[in-house]
Amino acid sequence: MADLFWLSDEQWAVMAPFMPKDQPGPERKDDRQIISGILHVLTSGCRWRDCPSAYGPRTTVYNRFNRWSRRGFWKAMLAALAKAGWSGEAAAIDSTYVRAHRSAHGGKGGRR
């Protein structure tokens, strides 16, 4: 449980006003818990089905991420935070790569 990601009180205070309210259907799972699960999956790179049960049902975590992505929730929240001048700690990781043929390094016969 020590390696699980949980939103801090300060992070949640920034995000809480953007959460959808008065949604129809059964009682919602805790938004803070579900968003922590979403962020855990996105930062760790694990599959949705490998999401730890501490974050709630993995289908709920995936469905909430998918549904909110289609509705533009994430973009709207980040745009509103940027417009308000909020800047949290950020890091960017470049994950680009170039595929090369197996013999592109030196080809047959080695380097010349």
Side-chain angles (χ1 to χ4, degrees), residues 79-93:
L81 289 172
K83 187 176 181 180
W86 183 81
S87 63
E89 295 178 18
I93 299 174

Side-chain angles (χ1 to χ4, degrees), residues 43-84:
T43 57
S44 71
C46 70
R47 299 180 304 171
W48 291 104
R49 76 172 37 245
D50 296 332
C51 182
S53 60
Y55 296 122
R58 64 182 185 232
T59 54
T60 302
V61 175
Y62 170 75
N63 288 338
R64 188 95 44 106
F65 170 76
N66 195 19
R67 194 175 307 125
W68 286 355
S69 294
R70 281 187 274 126
R71 291 181 185 168
F73 168 79
W74 302 109
K75 287 181 182 179
M77 181 180 70
L78 292 174
L81 289 172
K83 187 176 181 180

Side-chain angles (χ1 to χ4, degrees), residues 81-110:
L81 289 172
K83 187 176 181 180
W86 183 81
S87 63
E89 295 178 18
I93 299 174
D94 183 14
S95 63
T96 59
Y97 64 94
V98 177
R99 295 188 74 174
H101 191 271
R102 62 188 166 121
S103 62
H105 176 63
K108 191 171 184 179

Side-chain angles (χ1 to χ4, degrees), residues 1-82:
M1 293 276 273
D3 59 341
L4 298 181
F5 174 82
W6 294 103
L7 288 170
S8 68
D9 292 336
E10 179 182 317
Q11 292 168 328
W12 181 244
V14 171
M15 293 180 76
F18 297 100
M19 293 297 111
K21 308 224 181 344
D22 300 326
Q23 295 291 309
E27 185 177 338
R28 292 169 56 91
K29 300 287 183 193
D30 182 29
D31 283 332
R32 185 175 182 173
Q33 180 182 6
I34 298 297
I35 291 176
S36 294
I38 290 170
L39 293 173
H40 173 80
V41 170
L42 296 177
T43 57
S44 71
C46 70
R47 299 180 304 171
W48 291 104
R49 76 172 37 245
D50 296 332
C51 182
S53 60
Y55 296 122
R58 64 182 185 232
T59 54
T60 302
V61 175
Y62 170 75
N63 288 338
R64 188 95 44 106
F65 170 76
N66 195 19
R67 194 175 307 125
W68 286 355
S69 294
R70 281 187 274 126
R71 291 181 185 168
F73 168 79
W74 302 109
K75 287 181 182 179
M77 181 180 70
L78 292 174
L81 289 172

